[in-house]
Amino acid sequence: QVQLVESGGGLVQAGGSLRLSCAASGRTASMSRMGWFRHAPGNEREFVASIAWSETTTYYADSVKGRFTISKDNAKNTVYLRMNSLKPEDTALYYCAAKYILSTTWDYSGQGTQVTVSS
């Protein structure tokens, strides 16, 4: 199993920045990919970004391209999400997820960290 703990959320004004962190523990050697998702009240869960665990391939949702950057520190088993130029519509519960090698779904997710962007 993999345990994921997010941190770094908070309240920020529109145009501001935040950096989220996700610390992984457990069977991290079997992970193939880690990602960030968000869920705002009344909306569907939305994919935000992902990064390969053993190399650096990244993917982003169109809504965050150019503003958010996903990165990782394999030595610390931690994934980051740098969020710049935040907008009120970025307000959501952000949580990270992990996918095992050969898995077609996201196998584990954390409890999430709240990001609130005021206008």
Side-chain angles (χ1 to χ4, degrees), residues 33 47 49-52 55-60 69-72:
R33 197 159 199 92
F47 167 80
S50 70
I51 187 166
E55 32 105 0
T56 57
T57 305
T58 58
Y59 295 103
Y60 293 93
T69 303
I70 189 170
S71 62
K72 63 188 173 83

Side-chain angles (χ1 to χ4, degrees), residues 30-33 98-108:
S30 299
M31 296 191 305
S32 66
R33 197 159 199 92
K99 181 182 289 190
Y100 275 149
I101 295 169
L102 299 181
S103 178
T104 59
T105 61
W106 292 92
D107 299 287
Y108 297 99

